[in-house]
Amino acid sequence: MSRSPGRKQENDKISRELFVLTYGALVAQLCKDYEKDEDVNTCLDRMGYGIGIRLIDDFLARSGVKKCRSYSETADMIAQVAFKMYLGVTPSVICSSAAGNEFSLILDKNPLVDFVEELPAERASLCYCNLLCGVIRGALEMVHLAAEVTFLQDRLKGDAVTEIGITFLRKPEDRKHKR
């Protein structure tokens, strides 16, 4: 029996929507469990980190990508392949340092906030999508790239765009192994 070609896209959309709704429920529960936004942010980052260290194997197996030769290439791979594969969006990448180790991922559309209108006033310092920072950091660490990943701008907080900053913590020369 054959499947219609549109069936996979429909299933992906349903899976993505289910994930977004489930994620919203998770964040709401964490907000009930923790009084401070910083504690919720830390918990989301930790969860994301755990996901990232496991997700990298799936990403490498499904994408078939080769080893990146620069931080710029790595940032492009995260935006053009990983975000597209798992969230169905492709952020733009901007290098924000002369050293070439700081990048921003600019999301015009953030699928994790599809069903969120705004953050409650008492949760102004909540970083609702902090899970993404942990996922990126965990995945990069598993391929031996230490990075600091933070939200720089967030539409839920009134910013024009959603921006995730990635700072690679070692110089490119530090990555080379002596043989």
Side-chain angles (χ1 to χ4, degrees), residues 37-164:
D37 290 344
E38 295 77 24
D39 294 337
V40 176
N41 294 341
T42 300
C43 189
L44 288 170
D45 183 73
R46 256 194 332 260
M47 288 177 171
Y49 179 82
I51 292 169
I53 62 175
R54 289 166 183 80
L55 194 64
I56 191 67
D57 288 331
D58 179 68
F59 172 75
L60 293 172
R62 289 179 51 198
S63 68
V65 298
K66 302 294 182 211
K67 183 178 180 179
C68 295
R69 300 187 184 280
S70 67
Y71 290 143
S72 173
E73 198 176 320
T74 302
D76 286 338
M77 191 65 57
I78 292 168
Q80 296 171 7
V81 181
F83 266 80
K84 182 70 172 173
M85 184 184 296
Y86 294 107
L87 293 175
V89 296
T90 305
S92 53
V93 179
I94 298 170
C95 181
S96 53
S97 75
N101 70 325
E102 294 180 26
F103 297 87
S104 287
L105 303 178
I106 310 293
L107 290 119
D108 294 324
K109 183 178 182 328
N110 182 351
L112 288 183
V113 299
D114 280 351
F115 303 110
V116 180
E117 292 182 23
E118 62 184 32
L119 294 176
E122 66 274 6
R123 292 292 184 174
S125 60
L126 176 67
C127 191
Y128 183 83
C129 297
N130 213 37
L131 183 95
L132 292 176
C133 293
V135 170
I136 294 168
R137 189 172 52 84
L140 287 172
E141 190 171 300
M142 292 307 292
V143 292
H144 307 288
L145 291 173
E148 183 179 296
V149 186
T150 57
F151 267 90
L152 302 175
Q153 295 186 70
D154 191 347
R155 278 198 168 150
L156 287 178
K157 295 182 179 182
D159 296 321
V161 296
T162 299
E163 179 180 3
I164 300 172

Side-chain angles (χ1 to χ4, degrees), residues 14-25:
I14 291 169
S15 296
R16 192 168 299 127
E17 286 179 355
L18 179 61
F19 171 69
V20 170
L21 288 169
T22 304
Y23 182 73

